[in-house]
Amino acid sequence: MAALLGGKGSGEYKENIKGKVWVFPDNVDTDVISPSRYLENLQEMLDHTCESVIKEFPSKVQDGDIIVAGRNFGCGSSRETAPAILQEKGIVAIVAESFARIFYRSSLARALPVLEVNEVSKEFQTGDEIEINIPNAEITNLRTGKTLKGKKIHPILLNLLKIGGLEKQLLAELKENK
Amino acid sequence: MSGQTIAEKILANHSLSGSDIKPDDIIIAKLDLVMSHIGTGKVVLDFRKIRPSKIRKVFDPNKIVVIFDHYNPAPSERWASVHDLIRNFVKKQGIKDFYDIKEGICHQVLPEQGHVRPGMLIVGGDSHTTTYGAFNAASCGLGNTDLFYAYVKGELWFRVPHTIQFKITGKLPQSVMSKDIIIKIAGDHTAEVATYKAIEFTGDTMENLSIASRMTMSNFALELGAKFAFGVPDQKVVDWVKERTTEPIELVKPDPDAVYEKTYEIDVSNLEPQISCPHTVDNVKPISEVVGTKINQAFLGSCTNGRLEDLEIAAKILEGKRIPNHVRMIVTPASQEIWIKAAKSGVSETLINAGAVITNPSCGACFGALGGMLASGEKCISSSNRNFQGRMGSAAAEVYLGSPATVAASALKGEITDPRDF
């Protein structure tokens, strides 16, 4: 668990991201992303994440892919394995109509960009290419050319993404106070 | 300035960013208590990243509670090792409030042991930390990275939530419980009615509910997306807490002119028992529409409904009767205190005689990793709070959520059964 949760992360913060889209439905819960029966063996979890919603997701998802989802993404448990597993599978951002609170908070803490955009899931098909401007909360479907504006991330929280997440912030603060 | 809700008052009292706060502000707030369970394991590993090692210290060992509840007793070598890791950490850091494998579920044990008081700001490494709202505390769950920060700094960022109000009125019909009210709310208003928001439950029905029944509501409120979920701040809370702590108790009440984003009114006088059908908590039907659904397992337990009154109503329904052999009923008391009371009062004996299996206090079958797992094609009626696909075992199994009375009546008949028939 340690290696995985401390794993790949989202890399350097970039204002603009482009990637291939996976479309997820409403109410994707943490037991779908990170089933408790696999908490014992995290390799198994990587092999099975989200398969009850999109069967081919765990085998076909690639580094740099982006999730576009409906409402209430990440509802359920506080287990941080949910955003961590998605990062480990290569997901670099999630755009959803809404997020469950803890998932949203944990994603920011892990420097995984999460954007709320109304009606977004209706504008995409799996396989489309998406372009995202994070500070402006602007997304474009490069297949249809349609651009949508979402809710801007609060400046304090945007800064959390920029510095690489809460753990980096903490370690930096401790260094300053030494 | 207009009046403040409970959430606004408690956050203002703890804010390090000035006390003039309003919804949607981001503030840094000082924490009164940090709770974590098996997730402490990740915090322990994170602590090793702090250099030099001599500054690896928690912010205040007296404001941290560590408790084992998800994997009790350790079901595998892996979890035994995580337990071992945490035990050593707790000892080294001088955390005295450590509950090992026997006490029970965090959300029951913390209030029972006097750690939760009105007005506190509490975070926990468990989503259902909203439960302490029943005691007039602002409490919410978060993930491991936030927990790590909280452990070291004793403070965190918070978005000040808007508050919504559920005004619940009317006398609950016989065998209809607070669980039915909260499931009904999920069905009528969806599982995201309270996302990012604080809830205040009010009305004469709430005032008349026991503390245990109120805890069920504040607990399940997380499934509606809530950040905080306050019960009624009244004398019942004070009396309950007073027996468990010597610390001063002061209720935080909303101002009469507090601003609510929305108020929902619910009359429960004719409420039917409610069922959350697979695989979302807001896929709700009145019991009359699902009566007769065959079940393989009935689970009575969890932080939602594993309290004494829950076991008592089940015992009342099962007294002198026998659960059919093809139905497995599993009862998991939420804490050792409850377990002892149930043993003394004869409730446990009644349940065992009826054919139920009673397990040690823990998260148990709810969590789908300890015991009472479901096979493909099986169905379970459960008093817990989640019916997500794969939650209790196979992704091809189905979980139905209902009240403890519904669970007991259904166990007896081997199919979903209206408890009002008993």
Side-chain angles (χ1 to χ4, degrees):
Chain A
M1 175 154 67
L4 180 84
L5 277 175
K8 182 137 85 176
S10 280
E12 278 295 275
Y13 170 76
K14 292 193 206 90
E15 281 197 356
N16 291 291
I17 319 178
K18 221 192 273 188
K20 194 167 67 76
V21 165
W22 290 87
V23 178
F24 277 69
D26 292 345
N27 295 313
V28 172
D29 62 65
T30 50
D31 281 74
V32 163
I33 305 167
S34 168
S36 29
R37 63 189 178 284
Y38 298 131
L39 286 171
E40 177 89 27
N41 180 338
L42 291 158
Q43 185 52 50
E44 261 195 313
M45 191 180 298
L46 285 167
D47 295 343
H48 294 282
T49 177
C50 303
E51 69 178 4
S52 60
V53 180
I54 303 176
K55 199 162 179 7
E56 65 276 21
F57 179 80
S59 58
K60 300 263 172 72
V61 64
Q62 286 176 342
D63 274 2
D65 285 358
I66 289 166
I67 288 175
V68 169
R71 304 195 61 80
N72 208 20
F73 190 85
C75 60
S77 160
S78 60
R79 64 185 73 149
E80 204 170 300
T81 46
I85 283 274
L86 295 176
Q87 282 178 309
E88 195 70 18
K89 293 296 272 185
I91 294 295
V92 292
I94 306 174
V95 184
E97 287 159 21
S98 66
F99 290 90
R101 184 194 142 258
I102 301 175
F103 186 92
Y104 184 82
R105 182 172 185 123
S106 291
S107 298
L108 292 176
R110 303 184 60 80
L112 172 64
V114 276
L115 273 185
E116 286 186 298
V117 182
N118 277 337
E119 308 285 316
V120 68
S121 68
K122 294 172 191 71
E123 299 294 337
F124 283 86
Q125 296 165 8
T126 290
D128 284 354
E129 217 179 341
I130 187 173
E131 189 167 22
I132 306 177
N133 179 283
I134 293 173
N136 295 330
E138 219 170 67
I139 62 133
T140 304
N141 183 331
L142 296 177
R143 176 177 61 87
T144 62
K146 190 156 179 182
T147 295
L148 295 175
K149 263 190 118 71
K151 211 154 111 191
K152 278 193 188 170
I153 299 174
H154 191 286
I156 294 176
L157 305 182
L158 189 64
N159 194 49
L160 201 52
L161 285 181
K162 285 182 185 162
I163 61 175
L166 197 61
E167 182 184 303
K168 280 204 179 134
Q169 181 183 325
L170 174 66
L171 296 177
E173 284 171 0
L174 290 175
K175 213 168 194 174
E176 268 169 38
N177 295 339
K178 202 169 57 177
Chain B
M1 201 173 99
S2 59
Q4 288 181 310
T5 64
I6 301 175
E8 287 156 14
K9 282 193 179 179
I10 296 179
L11 284 176
N13 288 342
H14 291 81
S15 173
L16 301 170
S17 319
S19 59
D20 181 18
I21 62 167
K22 57 182 188 314
D24 288 331
D25 285 353
I26 302 272
I27 61 162
I28 308 293
K30 210 162 137 28
L31 305 167
D32 294 316
L33 189 70
V34 180
M35 181 281 293
S36 60
H37 46 56
I38 192 76
T40 317
K42 181 61 172 63
V43 174
V44 177
L45 298 175
D46 284 342
F47 258 71
R48 295 178 183 168
K49 297 173 191 165
I50 300 175
R51 311 256 151 137
S53 58
K54 66 175 195 301
I55 64 164
R56 288 175 195 161
K57 293 230 168 65
V58 300
F59 75 104
D60 183 346
N62 298 316
K63 290 182 175 171
I64 292 175
V65 178
V66 176
I67 176 164
F68 292 164
D69 55 9
H70 279 60
Y71 298 94
N72 297 358
S76 67
E77 188 185 344
R78 175 184 151 76
W79 297 116
S81 316
V82 178
H83 282 177
D84 181 55
L85 185 77
I86 297 170
R87 282 187 195 107
N88 289 330
F89 174 80
V90 159
K91 204 171 161 192
K92 200 168 166 189
Q93 292 287 341
I95 298 168
K96 293 186 304 295
D97 296 314
F98 167 58
Y99 300 95
D100 209 305
I101 65 163
K102 63 182 185 294
E103 272 86 0
I105 311 175
C106 54
H107 305 314
Q108 185 62 27
V109 174
L110 262 70
E112 274 178 2
Q113 299 292 335
H115 297 296
V116 176
R117 295 183 305 280
M120 287 176 84
L121 180 61
I122 303 173
V123 296
D126 187 277
S127 57
H128 293 107
T129 303
T130 53
T131 310
Y132 314 138
F135 302 95
N136 193 228
S139 56
C140 61
L142 30 75
N144 283 314
T145 304
D146 276 304
L147 200 57
F148 177 34
Y149 194 92
Y151 255 81
V152 178
K153 304 276 286 192
E155 59 187 53
L156 275 175
W157 69 267
F158 288 87
R159 182 193 297 184
V160 180
H162 293 267
T163 300
I164 57 175
Q165 207 177 21
F166 287 97
K167 194 173 170 203
I168 302 160
T169 54
K171 188 173 181 297
L172 271 177
Q174 187 233 326
S175 300
V176 180
M177 304 179 72
S178 70
K179 180 67 161 291
D180 297 301
I181 305 176
I182 196 76
I183 293 180
K184 170 80 175 154
I185 292 174
D188 287 355
H189 302 290
T190 83
E192 49 174 349
V193 62
T195 299
Y196 306 130
K197 297 179 176 58
I199 294 177
E200 287 182 17
F201 292 111
T202 65
D204 61 87
T205 316
M206 283 306 296
E207 287 161 18
N208 291 325
L209 287 179
S210 66
I211 292 293
S213 292
R214 295 178 190 180
M215 289 171 78
T216 301
M217 310 266 296
S218 292
N219 175 282
F220 204 91
L222 179 273
E223 304 301 328
L224 312 179
K227 175 176 195 152
F228 306 134
F230 300 103
V232 190
D234 64 2
Q235 193 58 35
K236 267 190 199 174
V237 173
V238 176
D239 293 344
W240 202 98
V241 175
K242 204 163 58 188
E243 282 185 26
R244 292 154 196 277
T245 179
T246 51
E247 299 281 329
I249 301 166
E250 203 177 324
L251 291 171
V252 178
K253 295 185 177 182
D255 290 325
D257 58 342
V259 180
Y260 295 93
E261 191 182 68
K262 201 163 175 179
T263 296
Y264 301 85
E265 301 201 4
I266 298 141
D267 178 2
V268 298
S269 13
N270 294 309
L271 186 68
E272 217 185 297
Q274 304 286 312
I275 303 287
S276 288
C277 298
H279 295 289
T280 56
V281 295
D282 56 1
N283 181 18
V284 172
K285 291 181 180 152
I287 198 159
S288 52
E289 289 180 27
V290 283
V291 156
T293 305
K294 300 280 178 218
I295 54 149
N296 307 87
Q297 183 169 298
F299 175 58
L300 176 60
S302 84
C303 52
T304 319
N305 275 126
R307 283 174 268 281
L308 189 62
E309 65 175 29
D310 303 325
L311 272 54
E312 281 171 347
I313 196 164
K316 217 164 140 191
I317 290 168
L318 294 168
E319 172 110 62
K321 303 197 179 78
R322 188 76 195 164
I323 298 163
N325 273 336
H326 66 275
V327 180
R328 314 182 292 266
M329 182 168 184
I330 300 171
V331 178
T332 303
S335 72
Q336 202 174 43
E337 182 179 314
I338 291 166
W339 202 13
I340 291 170
K341 283 181 181 164
K344 278 189 180 158
S345 68
V347 161
S348 296
E349 195 179 342
T350 302
L351 294 171
I352 293 167
N353 283 336
V357 170
I358 303 187
T359 79
N360 64 302
S362 71
C363 300
C366 169
F367 178 54
L370 190 57
M373 310 267 284
L374 301 173
S376 170
E378 288 194 324
K379 292 188 170 83
C380 176
I381 179 87
S382 173
S383 72
S384 58
N385 46 35
R386 283 195 186 130
N387 58 352
F388 301 158
Q389 191 168 16
R391 170 75 180 179
M392 292 173 75
S394 169
E398 291 186 344
V399 181
Y400 294 77
L401 304 178
S403 76
T406 300
V407 168
S410 304
L412 200 54
K413 295 284 174 187
E415 57 186 42
I416 294 180
T417 301
D418 192 330
R420 294 173 301 177
D421 299 344
F422 290 85

